Amino acid sequence: MIYLKTEEEIGQIRLSNQLVAKTLAEVGKYIKPGVTTLQLDHIAEEFIRDNGGEPSFLGYNGFPNTLCTSVNDVVIHGIPNNVELKDGDIISVDCGACVNGFHGDSCFTFSVGPIKDNKVAALLKTTKAALYSGIGCAVEGRRLGDISSVIQKEVESNGFSIVREFTGHGVGRRLHEEPLVRNYGNEGSGIKLRRGMVIAIEPMVNMGKRNVTFDKDGWTVRTADHCPAAHFEHTVAVGIEKAEILSSFEFIETI
Ligand code: MG
Ligand code: MG
């Protein structure tokens, strides 16, 4: 069932998402060659707790950390570890935080040092653009499938592929609520969107083929062909004329 949020609840979810946004920016300051993803995880956990939140992912279905840190061919759910980041890596940092009982959820793919490979630059640019195109459809009266369709078109027309095994989702008192928000599908299909729905839109995009494999740790999802993958996510409230983005990349983009 889909829980429609009151304006007050949407305000609470905005608060949680602003903390997530600031956490991603804090982590982003330390993304350099030589840092480990476990160090980034500690920075995020401390920052969330210092600002009155709880990490949403830590312990969720047994997930062991605050962040999902997915490097290069890891699409999502990478577990922070002691491997040092290298110049030219890309890393998707997915973060969730809970404040006053409501969750926030957002992800940004960073490059470690300047991006040297034009195709990697295009992958990041396309994934982020597809996210914003999807957000553009999160308007009352449109259909859920409009979001899915526009994301798929944008990604595939740029020669990249959509991971289908994972989706966006509703966000609220639970980190993952209904509805599922697919990154592929048909315009005009699915439920009608209305004010009160809060959803995480999160295209996961592979440079190569769409197929993924699972590591033995039970979490890490990798591209089967080991080409890189990108992941951008915002939590948004369906708007009357325009979606309201509750998370933010503005803190990251001013690092
Ligand atoms: Mg997320
Ligand atoms: Mg999510």
Side-chain angles (χ1 to χ4, degrees), residues 75 165 211-215 219-226:
V75 183
E165 287 80 354
N211 312 71
V212 295
T213 60
F214 294 79
D215 281 10
W219 285 102
T220 309
V221 178
R222 241 175 245 283
T223 58
D225 58 13
H226 298 294

Side-chain angles (χ1 to χ4, degrees), residues 15 81 131 148 152 181 205 208 220:
L15 267 182
N81 60 29
L131 166 62
S148 311
Q152 181 178 17
V181 184
V205 176
T220 309

Side-chain angles (χ1 to χ4, degrees), residues 180-232:
L180 293 183
V181 184
R182 289 188 179 83
N183 295 306
Y184 64 96
N186 297 322
E187 195 178 341
S189 69
I191 56 160
K192 215 176 228 188
L193 300 172
R194 50 183 290 200
R195 183 68 184 167
M197 291 179 181
V198 176
I199 52 177
I201 303 177
E202 49 178 316
M204 289 148 260
V205 176
N206 294 352
M207 184 185 281
K209 296 210 164 61
R210 73 172 178 85
N211 312 71
V212 295
T213 60
F214 294 79
D215 281 10
K216 287 203 183 79
D217 62 21
W219 285 102
T220 309
V221 178
R222 241 175 245 283
T223 58
D225 58 13
H226 298 294
C227 289
H231 180 202
F232 286 88

Side-chain angles (χ1 to χ4, degrees), residues 4 134-147 186-197 199 237-243:
L4 292 178
I135 290 170
C137 300
V139 175
E140 183 156 280
R142 302 220 38 188
R143 299 271 178 181
L144 194 60
D146 296 356
I147 298 173
N186 297 322
E187 195 178 341
S189 69
I191 56 160
K192 215 176 228 188
L193 300 172
R194 50 183 290 200
R195 183 68 184 167
M197 291 179 181
I199 52 177
V238 170
I240 300 296
E241 287 177 347
K242 190 169 172 286

Side-chain angles (χ1 to χ4, degrees), residues 2 5 61 70 80 84 103 121 126 142 144 171-173 178 180 193 216 221 228-229 234 237:
I2 296 172
K5 278 78 181 179
N61 291 338
S70 304
E84 292 182 0
H103 292 277
T126 299
R142 302 220 38 188
L144 194 60
V171 183
R173 288 190 183 276
E178 289 182 44
L180 293 183
L193 300 172
K216 287 203 183 79
V221 178
H234 271 314

